[in-house]
């Protein structure tokens, strides 16, 4: 199964304050914008085969090249699935040589932190203390019930959970690039991000100049 080719769709970018925290030095903190990050959201179809249907928003952060930007932009995807790329990559890349000659684009994948909708399950975090105190059988029951409660809550809110899969996820990437005004991109994926890499290579090869598959985190 593949989603509708990205070339058949048009997405839009809107600027917004960066949703993630900057570097905290204790006595003062640098907000992301102070370090050159530009943030916002790209609107994409919830289902790429239905470009006129419901839409979702993908959060992005752009760090412009410090010396001209002649190279293809580098897109970075976190693993998980469900990990937040903002919490790691924004701290590693500021001032690095990697960012000198190219734009860096960090994005959180559909359904993850800061995206709309955000499918995080607060129900699982709320029982953390109970899980620590329970025996294995009870802990398994509590954990499963939390997932069921989360699923029922999201479904009651009208979220089509079946649209949040790797095929649709990969189809978001070319639209994000188009909305930001880029052509072909270099794409880095770590852990689950390597599977996203493979879907991109299969379904959207024209969007890619190169890919980096950074193993799988055990």
């Amino acid at each position: 199964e593949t989603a509708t080719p990205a070339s058949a769709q048009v997405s839009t970018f809107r600027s917004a304050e960066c949703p993630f925290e900057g570097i905290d030095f204790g006595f003062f903190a640098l907000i992301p914008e102070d370090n050159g990050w530009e943030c916002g959201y790209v609107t994409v179809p919830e289902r790429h085969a239905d470009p006129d249907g419901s839409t979702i928003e993908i959060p992005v952060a752009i760090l412009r090249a410090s010396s001209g930007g002649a190279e293809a932009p580098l897109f970075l995807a976190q693993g998980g699935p469900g990990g937040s790329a903002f919490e790691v990559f924004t701290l590693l890349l500021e001032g690095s040589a990697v960012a000198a000659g190219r734009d860096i684009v960090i994005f959180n994948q559909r359904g993850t932190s800061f995206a709309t909708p955000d499918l995080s399950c607060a129900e699982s975090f709320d029982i953390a203390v109970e899980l620590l105190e329970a025996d294995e059988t009870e802990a398994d029951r509590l954990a499963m019930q939390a997932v069921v409660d989360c699923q029922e809550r999201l479904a009651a809110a009208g979220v089509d959970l079946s649209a949040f899969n790797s095929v649709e996820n990969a189809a978001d990437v070319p639209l994000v690039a188009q909305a930001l005004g880029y052509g072909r991109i270099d794409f880095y994926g770590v852990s689950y991000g390597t599977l996203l890499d493979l879907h991109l290579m299969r379904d959207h090869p024209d969007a890619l100049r190169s890919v980096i598959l950074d193993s799988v985190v055990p």
Side-chain angles (χ1 to χ4, degrees):
E1 179 186 359
T2 59
T4 300
S7 59
Q9 304 175 22
V10 177
S11 289
T12 57
F13 170 77
R14 67 175 179 88
S15 297
E17 290 186 7
C18 292
F20 54 92
E21 297 181 357
I23 300 176
D24 190 347
F25 293 96
F27 55 95
F28 81 101
L30 286 175
I31 64 173
E33 288 85 352
D34 288 340
N35 287 343
W37 292 101
E38 304 170 24
C39 296
Y41 295 85
V42 175
T43 300
V44 300
E46 183 178 56
R47 288 192 176 278
H48 289 271
D50 184 17
D52 297 322
S54 299
T55 59
I56 61 176
E57 286 191 320
I58 306 297
V60 299
I62 307 113
L63 185 65
R64 303 293 180 183
S66 59
S67 61
E71 301 291 337
L74 176 63
F75 277 53
L76 296 108
Q78 181 58 286
S84 175
F86 297 139
E87 305 303 326
V88 177
F89 295 133
T90 55
L91 300 179
L92 295 176
L93 288 165
E94 293 169 7
S96 72
V98 174
R102 69 179 73 242
D103 289 0
I104 304 292
V105 178
I106 299 173
F107 70 100
N108 268 10
Q109 298 158 45
R110 58 170 53 205
T112 64
S113 300
F114 311 120
T116 305
D118 180 344
L119 306 187
S120 300
C121 287
E123 292 85 350
S124 295
F125 293 103
D126 292 342
I127 63 169
V129 174
E130 293 179 73
L131 291 178
L132 291 173
E133 296 174 345
D135 60 32
E136 184 176 356
T137 300
E138 177 63 6
D140 287 345
R141 187 193 68 79
L142 289 170
M144 181 58 68
Q145 187 59 53
V147 172
V148 171
D149 291 343
C150 178
Q151 180 186 28
E152 292 177 347
R153 173 177 58 82
L154 293 171
V159 177
D160 180 4
L161 295 174
S162 65
F164 293 83
N165 59 65
S166 294
V167 172
E168 300 286 355
N169 196 8
D172 293 339
V173 176
L175 292 185
V176 172
Q178 289 178 13
L180 298 178
Y182 298 119
R184 294 200 300 166
I185 65 172
D186 296 326
F187 189 88
Y188 167 91
V190 59
S191 200
Y192 163 75
T194 62
L195 179 61
L196 193 58
D197 259 329
L198 297 176
H199 282 289
L200 273 168
M201 293 165 67
R202 182 193 64 196
D203 296 343
H204 310 283
D206 292 343
L208 303 170
R209 190 188 76 96
S210 69
V211 298
I212 303 166
L213 287 79
D214 192 4
S215 189
V216 174
V217 179

